[in-house]
Amino acid sequence: MNKKLLGLTLAAVMLLVPAFTGCSSGSKAATEDALADGVLSVAVDDTYLPMEFRDDQNQLVGFDVDFAKALGDALGVSVEFKTVAWDGIFNGLNAKQYDAIISSTSITPERQKSFSMTDPYVANGIVIVSRKDATPVKTFKELDGKTLGAQIQTTADIAAGKLKEQQSVNVEIKEYDGMLDAFAALQGKQIDNVITDVGVAMYYVAQNPDLFVVSSDVLTNEPIGITSRLEDKTTTTKFNEAIKKLQDNGKLTEISMKWFGTDMTKDIDTKLSVVE
């Protein structure tokens, strides 16, 4: 091939490149503002009561679901939900299968390095839950010789593994795909304790006050935020403005009272204390 023909061929290829870059099956093209098309595509793990789960009619409900809908109203966009297993939810975000994760995602220093995370919209930390018919576990060290259930790849699961090493605790950690399975195992005495987010723990205890008790203090401080791709800074700015609006107009308080019976959306401690 002569140089002139080679140059024309390369030029033609370069013209074609923009037509194919930034496109993926089932997702919108990458933009600085993921809300530009008027649609917010949100990923949730629908097994995490009371944050996001399926009711008796198989409808998607929960704190984060109500929050995401209120967020969409505040932003003037429609909201589409995509249910995704937790262990693949961050990979799906990076693959542009959706715009954001609104699924009880704890803000941690490690996640802040890899993703764009908003200001917190609800307080959070991890706690240990015991059965009422057993000796309550108040500290992680008291798990020595016991079995502990956690949802796989959550911050509670990660913290449990780290604390086991750091404190030399002989605890067997059993990982579950969802907290429904973990609490079913706790009720069935297949495990001795569960470690999970405080809001989740409070919900299960409220639903089963004769079975479960939150037995430990809150072990970490890891408030919950919206997760976007690292490059979507414009989207995160808009999210923060909408969160502030929902805090100021009382909508977040209303949603919190509905699901927790207390307001976990004001005066949130933003100083992170995370076991990673």
Side-chain angles (χ1 to χ4, degrees), residues 39-89:
V39 179
L40 171 59
S41 176
V42 171
V44 296
D45 171 7
D46 62 351
T47 66
Y48 207 62
L49 290 78
M51 305 304 288
E52 42 271 332
F53 63 101
R54 299 281 175 176
D55 65 11
D56 293 341
Q57 286 74 47
N58 200 37
Q59 296 298 306
L60 187 63
V61 296
F63 176 93
D64 277 331
V65 176
D66 287 350
F67 165 64
K69 291 177 180 177
L71 186 79
D73 289 342
L75 291 167
V77 298
S78 61
V79 178
E80 294 179 350
F81 291 98
K82 297 189 177 183
T83 55
V84 184
W86 183 255
D87 58 2
I89 204 164

Side-chain angles (χ1 to χ4, degrees), residues 153-195:
Q153 293 187 18
T154 58
T155 55
D157 182 31
I158 295 167
K162 294 292 186 180
L163 289 170
K164 176 181 178 177
E165 294 177 7
Q166 294 169 7
Q167 299 184 17
S168 301
V169 178
N170 180 28
V171 58
E172 180 184 358
I173 301 170
K174 292 193 173 183
E175 297 175 320
Y176 296 88
D177 289 334
M179 292 312 303
L180 278 169
D181 295 333
F183 275 95
L186 180 61
Q187 181 176 352
K189 300 185 179 181
Q190 297 162 10
I191 56 176
D192 300 312
N193 297 93
V194 160
I195 189 167

